[in-house]
Amino acid sequence: MRIENRQNWIGELLNDSQGGGRASGASTTYERRVPGCNGYPKLSMGCDGLRSLPAPECEHGEFVFDPATVYVRSRATNALLSQHQTRGYCPGESAEPMSSTQIVFTAADFQELPLVGSGISIEPDHEEYIIRLPVIVVTDPSPQVLETDVLGTQILVRATPETYTWEWGDKGEPTVTADPGKSYPEHTVFHEYVTLGAFTITLTTTWTGEYSIDGGSTWQPVNGTAETTDTAEPITIGERVPLLTG
């Protein structure tokens, strides 16, 4: 005899009003039989592949559990933590996972987020700057938190600046630093131009990431970084010529 509606049978067996929920630590396992697939066709065998598996031979009179897709969700937030497929199996046996899809936020996912650049502030705020005097730059080191969706689950992503690469627009070497800079007179990031003209300052910020699938209670690192680029309005470098008056 085959158990055609595995979810409902387990719900009755466990007397669980959620119909197939089994608590374990911080997560609850929900078992769904294959025909519905619940909108997740990306598992390796797919729904049709699981349905085509032969039923196991169990002892006479025992129920045979159909193949199923198993979803593991957070007990606190109901966020989907993972999912896997199982073969059909007999009572007393464990459901053998066929394949698994974990909720993982990748570096590619991180790099596709609409991160906002950390910004450029140039000091002092002049229309023209003086050759061989420091042009001071400052940026905002604040992290930013965004929401996105993975496999139908809402997750939080926190991006934190790691390094700043300043391109000065002249022939000087870029400045790479973890320092966001400070204002005058404690300024720490600056550049002195040695030629006259108009120059455009560009800032590339490298961000590290963390993601949370439980509303921000716990965070996991993103295995990779993302970059944003800010470009300031061109500045003019001039010189002051002293005038003698008699």
Side-chain angles (χ1 to χ4, degrees):
M1 179 177 181
R2 297 179 68 90
I3 298 300
E4 293 296 333
N5 194 332
R6 183 182 184 193
Q7 174 191 348
N8 290 345
W9 188 86
I10 292 176
E12 294 173 6
L13 177 66
L14 299 177
N15 193 26
D16 190 323
S17 62
Q18 292 178 305
R22 295 191 295 183
S24 176
S27 64
T28 299
T29 299
Y30 295 92
E31 303 195 16
R32 299 284 190 263
R33 69 187 182 94
V34 171
C37 275
N38 204 26
Y40 291 97
K42 294 184 179 180
L43 298 179
S44 61
M45 289 199 66
C47 302
D48 292 337
L50 278 178
R51 281 196 291 267
S52 67
L53 291 175
E57 294 292 334
C58 300
E59 295 182 8
H60 179 71
E62 285 190 338
F63 294 109
V64 179
F65 294 104
D66 275 349
T69 302
V70 178
Y71 303 93
V72 181
R73 294 185 177 273
S74 166
R75 297 182 66 186
T77 66
N78 201 40
L80 181 65
L81 304 180
S82 67
Q83 58 181 354
H84 63 266
Q85 294 170 314
T86 66
R87 297 180 183 273
Y89 65 99
C90 301
E93 298 177 349
S94 62
E96 178 187 355
M98 290 293 299
S99 62
S100 180
T101 298
Q102 300 290 332
I103 303 299
V104 176
F105 191 74
T106 67
D109 296 327
F110 187 38
Q111 292 157 8
E112 291 178 358
L113 288 179
L115 295 175
V116 177
S118 53
I120 298 175
S121 176
I122 302 176
E123 301 178 358
D125 186 12
H126 291 166
E127 293 183 359
E128 184 177 270
Y129 297 84
I130 307 304
I131 191 170
R132 294 187 176 87
L133 289 182
V135 176
I136 302 166
V137 291
V138 179
T139 190
D140 183 0
S142 302
Q144 50 187 301
V145 177
L146 298 89
E147 292 187 14
T148 189
D149 178 276
V150 175
L151 291 177
T153 296
Q154 290 294 313
I155 69 173
L156 297 178
V157 181
R158 182 167 60 200
T160 303
E162 181 180 50
T163 59
Y164 310 98
T165 301
W166 295 93
E167 302 272 359
W168 305 108
D170 60 1
K171 295 181 180 179
E173 290 294 323
T175 299
V176 181
T177 178
D179 182 1
K182 296 180 181 179
S183 296
Y184 179 88
E186 288 84 18
H187 54 285
T188 54
V189 183
F190 58 91
H191 185 66
E192 295 182 3
Y193 290 88
V194 296
T195 56
L196 304 177
F199 302 94
T200 300
I201 298 175
T202 302
L203 170 63
T204 300
T205 304
T206 301
W207 304 79
T208 60
E210 302 169 285
Y211 67 98
S212 173
I213 58 178
D214 57 9
S217 296
T218 59
W219 295 87
Q220 302 178 61
V222 176
N223 186 24
T225 60
E227 292 184 344
T228 57
T229 300
D230 292 285
T231 302
E233 293 293 326
I235 62 172
T236 300
I237 303 298
E239 62 180 343
R240 298 284 175 87
V241 178
L243 297 177
L244 297 177
T245 60

